[in-house]
Amino acid sequence: MNFRKRPGEEPEINLIAFIDVLLVILIFLMLSTTYSKFTELQVSLPVADAEKTKDYPREIIVSVAADGRYAVNRKAVDGRSVELLAAELRAAAADSNEAVVIISADATAAHQSVVNVLDAARRAGLARLTFATQAPAGASP
């Protein structure tokens, strides 16, 4: 096989096929494009109106520390038993079954501590629960 270029051979470029393809594309665009007299689009942007959130009659914040200690509405609970925690929740609810228990647990708290809060809320007759977590002090978001 001889791949060397022979002297005197110039490459030939055929532009007729290229012009034919461009002409077909131009005709297609002319026939398929619609034109209008409007210079701008009228856009209706969405509008959001949020209703005010419902104020709960009473919120009870139960904090769970990393070592398993509890606090009800920023007041430390002396023990770690479920019965004692249920009594504190009953006292904080003041005989209101509509109170919302907000469980704010440390991210490193044991799961059993949170389960104990759920059990104490059930024993106190409080069915409305919500959760919040806190990152450890040295953690970055």
Side-chain angles (χ1 to χ4, degrees):
M1 287 206 247
N2 190 3
F3 291 109
R4 284 182 268 152
K5 187 176 177 184
R6 295 183 195 138
E9 240 182 68
E10 292 294 324
E12 182 180 324
I13 299 174
N14 189 356
L15 293 178
I16 294 175
F18 179 69
I19 292 172
D20 287 344
V21 170
L22 285 178
L23 193 59
V24 168
I25 292 173
L26 184 64
I27 291 172
F28 173 76
L29 290 175
M30 296 267 309
L31 294 177
S32 65
T33 304
T34 57
Y35 300 98
S36 76
K37 295 179 182 180
F38 299 111
T39 57
E40 62 185 47
L41 295 174
Q42 297 296 327
V43 178
S44 298
L45 297 176
V47 177
D49 292 328
E51 295 180 14
K52 185 180 178 198
T53 59
K54 181 181 175 184
D55 291 330
Y56 295 113
R58 181 169 296 234
E59 292 179 345
I60 302 169
I61 300 172
V62 179
S63 301
V64 181
D67 59 355
R69 290 179 291 124
Y70 301 110
V72 177
N73 289 337
R74 297 184 186 226
K75 179 184 165 200
V77 177
D78 291 332
R80 295 184 184 184
S81 70
V82 176
E83 293 81 18
L84 184 61
L85 188 58
E88 288 287 332
L89 288 174
R90 265 189 233 103
D95 298 331
S96 173
N97 291 342
E98 294 295 316
V100 177
V101 178
I102 301 172
I103 302 172
S104 178
D106 190 274
T108 59
H111 293 333
Q112 186 60 43
S113 300
V114 177
V115 171
N116 289 344
V117 175
L118 294 172
D119 190 26
R122 182 186 56 80
R123 289 182 186 189
L126 302 171
R128 300 175 79 180
L129 300 167
T130 187
F131 295 92
T133 58
Q134 299 172 353
S140 62

